[in-house]
Amino acid sequence: MAIDDKTRTELEAAAFRRLVDHLRERTDVQNIDLMNLAGFCRNCLSNWLKDAADAQGVPLSKDESREAVYGMPYETWKSKYQGTATPEQVEAMKKVHPHSH
C-alpha cells in the first residue's frame, strides 16, 4: 500500500494525538513504570516534541511541550497524579536505563 507523504504525516499525527490522549487518561500509570517497561515516558514524549519543534525553528519551551503532552502544567500533573517511586522501581530504572532522567 503506497501512502503519500502528506497522508502519512496526517496518520502519524493522528496516532500521536491518540497516544497523548491515552496517556492523559491513564494517570494511574506512573512515568517510572513506563520507563521501566517501555523505555520512554511522558517526559520523553514531550522532549521529542520539543526536539521536533527546535528542528523546525518553531519556538516551544520545555514547559509548553510538557503541557502539550500532560494536558496541564507539569507541576500540576505531578502534584495530582505522581506517586512516590518505590525503592524497587528506582533500582529497576537504574538497571534498565542507567542514564535516564
Side-chain angles (χ1 to χ4, degrees):
M1 175 171 80
I3 298 176
D4 63 88
D5 286 345
K6 181 180 182 299
T7 301
R8 181 180 54 81
T9 299
E10 290 170 355
L11 296 174
E12 291 169 349
F16 173 82
R17 287 189 296 268
R18 187 169 178 181
L19 172 61
V20 167
D21 288 345
H22 180 77
L23 291 173
R24 285 179 183 176
E25 291 173 14
R26 291 299 310 267
T27 56
D28 59 308
V29 178
Q30 296 293 299
N31 281 333
I32 195 163
D33 293 323
L34 287 169
M35 283 299 294
N36 287 339
L37 293 172
F40 83 100
C41 70
R42 293 169 184 90
N43 289 337
C44 298
L45 197 58
S46 70
N47 291 341
W48 299 340
L49 181 62
K50 179 162 179 14
D51 290 345
D54 290 348
Q56 293 291 323
V58 175
L60 184 69
S61 72
K62 182 176 180 177
D63 288 339
E64 290 169 332
S65 68
R66 283 190 172 181
E67 189 165 341
V69 169
Y70 285 92
M72 63 186 71
Y74 178 55
E75 293 303 320
T76 303
W77 190 91
K78 278 177 44 176
S79 67
K80 289 177 82 170
Y81 303 114
Q82 184 170 305
T84 302
T86 66
E88 294 81 13
Q89 288 171 314
V90 173
E91 278 307 306
M93 177 88 160
K94 287 178 184 176
K95 288 179 184 170
V96 177
H97 307 284
H99 304 293
S100 298
H101 298 277

